[in-house]
Amino acid sequence: MKTLILGAGYAGLAVATKMKPLPDLETLLVEQNAFHTFETRLHEAAAHNTRVTMPLAPLLKGTGVHLEQAQVEGVNLDEKEVTLKDGRVLTYDTLVVGLGSVTNFYRIPGLAENASELKQLSDADEIFNYVNRVFANDYHGNRDIVVGGAGLTGVELVTELAQRAELLSKERGLPPFKIHLVEAGPKILPILDEALRLKAQKTLEEYGINILVGHRLMQATADSVTVQTADGEQKVIPAGKIIWTGGIQARDIVKGNKVEKGPGGRIAVDAQLRAKGYPDVFIIGDMSLALNQEGKPVPTTAQHAGQQGRLTGKNLMRLAKGEEAEAYEPTTLGEFVSLGGLMAVGWMKLPWNQKLAITGGLAHVMKRASEWRWRASID
């Protein structure tokens, strides 16, 4: 059985590290980077240049999976072909697609052209370099930062940037830059319960971050954004750097006559995470429109991507042995939001569907524990 795994994000890497060598199983992992990126920690790399990658080769030892460092250009499910950017075409018996998501700019004029993203390591490097550059003595111009989107990524990013600005301000005798957090919705962090959300908001306010909820970003230029309030009032916010974290959409790379797509371009899958109409194709992670026990879409989070990847890896082994694939049963273990340093807020799942709210240093430890669990699962 010739198997291709596309992408070494949380989902794809979880598949690859669950594999074991079998005589009739030939498995190839196709990934453009030679490393795995902890995307949930990119905000730390953006502010502090924290290391957030691991080389892939050591992780694949003993799995029987070979690494092909290449970029996927297109996937044709009807022809069972994967086209690479260098022109090569790969074929397969079984395919796993875990190519993740791209930033959704919602066709806001000028946003894609003028805003930075935070989706990969190069994005974090670019933001880190900007922060250092504006604290140089010879820098002239606006130093302020506008971050669009007050979900998990946006909030974690602004807190780390605020900490970095405070540190550089003390070191170099320059005032910290201003950070504007723009959110079209009525509140930040809608994924959290109200008490935790208010705790997080208070922390942001203590950092001096200008929180603009109910402000829709209407337009971006090289040095400003235009926002509009619910009553139609518009204002221009000058900025030296614009960063957009306000949405994602599935990578539009998979074609097939029977492919069904849902919200955000995610591909509909069956109970075993196989693309509907294509029993030899597993779609996992951000690209997958998997449903939970209530029939609602599973969130596009790292923990769910890891769950889907681990199950798919096990199912590939079952199929190679002539066994049936098992169904996916998602579970949310908790959700924690880093607020800079040793501060975090969040909740963890307890028996009987109860939630335990946690704040402060203990929440920070719990967030780190989720990363430790992930590292242990792929070692």
Side-chain angles (χ1 to χ4, degrees), residues 70-338:
Q71 186 172 347
V72 176
E73 185 82 2
V75 180
N76 187 324
L77 301 190
D78 296 325
E79 300 295 331
K80 285 196 164 188
E81 291 181 346
V82 173
T83 303
L84 304 181
K85 193 171 184 180
D86 60 17
R88 286 180 294 155
V89 176
L90 305 179
T91 59
Y92 61 85
D93 298 311
T94 306
L95 177 68
V96 180
V97 183
L99 291 170
S101 57
V102 294
T103 300
N104 190 343
F105 293 100
Y106 299 103
R107 299 181 182 177
I108 298 171
L111 190 58
E113 296 82 3
N114 295 295
S116 298
E117 307 171 51
L118 191 57
K119 290 289 293 174
Q120 55 190 3
L121 186 61
S122 59
D123 298 329
D125 290 342
E126 193 263 334
I127 295 169
F128 178 78
N129 291 335
Y130 171 82
V131 171
N132 278 345
R133 190 166 68 251
V134 300
F135 276 96
N137 289 327
D138 58 353
Y139 181 83
H140 300 287
N142 194 304
R143 302 161 66 238
D144 297 345
I145 295 177
V146 170
V147 175
L152 193 85
T153 301
V155 168
E156 291 188 326
L157 177 61
V158 294
T159 55
E160 295 291 349
L161 288 175
Q163 280 204 334
R164 179 67 176 166
E166 184 179 346
L167 175 66
L168 290 175
S169 177
K170 290 177 180 178
E171 285 182 354
R172 305 184 187 184
L174 295 171
F177 47 65
K178 187 75 176 176
I179 301 173
H180 306 275
L181 181 61
V182 177
E183 169 57 46
K187 56 189 177 182
I188 69 169
L189 295 172
I191 61 169
L192 293 184
D193 294 339
E194 190 67 5
L196 290 174
R197 191 190 65 77
L198 290 175
K199 176 72 173 176
Q201 182 166 325
K202 183 173 183 291
T203 301
L204 266 62
E205 291 167 350
E206 290 171 350
Y207 279 125
I209 295 164
N210 182 28
I211 304 172
L212 297 169
V213 295
H215 285 66
R216 184 175 299 278
L217 203 154
M218 305 298 292
Q219 180 181 344
T221 68
D223 55 9
S224 72
V225 298
T226 301
V227 297
Q228 179 174 292
T229 60
D231 58 11
E233 178 189 356
Q234 290 195 359
K235 52 187 172 184
V236 176
I237 304 174
K241 168 66 69 179
I242 304 164
I243 306 169
W244 179 248
T245 68
I248 61 171
Q249 59 188 5
R251 197 177 293 275
D252 185 20
I253 205 167
V254 175
K255 308 299 179 185
N257 291 327
K258 294 176 283 187
V259 169
E260 298 178 27
K261 292 189 177 182
R266 297 164 71 183
I267 297 174
V269 297
D270 65 13
Q272 290 76 28
L273 301 175
R274 296 173 297 197
K276 292 185 176 180
Y278 298 93
D280 297 323
V281 180
F282 293 85
I283 311 288
I284 56 176
D286 288 358
M287 295 185 69
S288 176
L289 185 59
L291 304 179
N292 63 16
Q293 291 83 345
E294 288 76 44
K296 297 179 180 179
V298 173
T300 53
T301 66
Q303 65 174 304
H304 292 104
Q307 289 173 18
Q308 293 169 21
R310 287 188 289 273
L311 174 67
T312 300
K314 293 175 183 176
N315 276 339
L316 289 174
M317 298 300 292
R318 291 188 182 98
L319 293 174
K321 298 173 184 176
E323 301 171 0
E324 292 291 321
E326 290 188 359
Y328 172 53
E329 296 184 6
T331 180
T332 302
L333 301 176
E335 193 71 71
F336 289 91
V337 182
S338 171

Side-chain angles (χ1 to χ4, degrees), residues 18-92:
K18 284 299 173 189
M19 304 295 286
K20 299 294 181 186
L22 287 177
D24 298 325
L25 185 59
E26 177 188 342
T27 308
L28 188 67
L29 172 63
V30 183
E31 164 60 41
Q32 62 180 338
N33 299 309
F35 54 83
H36 167 72
T37 301
F38 298 105
E39 290 187 30
T40 57
R41 296 188 62 191
L42 278 173
H43 58 283
E44 296 177 38
H48 309 292
N49 204 27
T50 306
R51 181 187 170 193
V52 294
T53 62
M54 290 179 69
L56 288 172
L59 299 174
L60 298 178
K61 287 183 178 178
T63 64
V65 177
H66 299 282
L67 175 63
E68 180 68 39
Q69 193 175 338
Q71 186 172 347
V72 176
E73 185 82 2
V75 180
N76 187 324
L77 301 190
D78 296 325
E79 300 295 331
K80 285 196 164 188
E81 291 181 346
V82 173
T83 303
L84 304 181
K85 193 171 184 180
D86 60 17
R88 286 180 294 155
V89 176
L90 305 179
T91 59
Y92 61 85

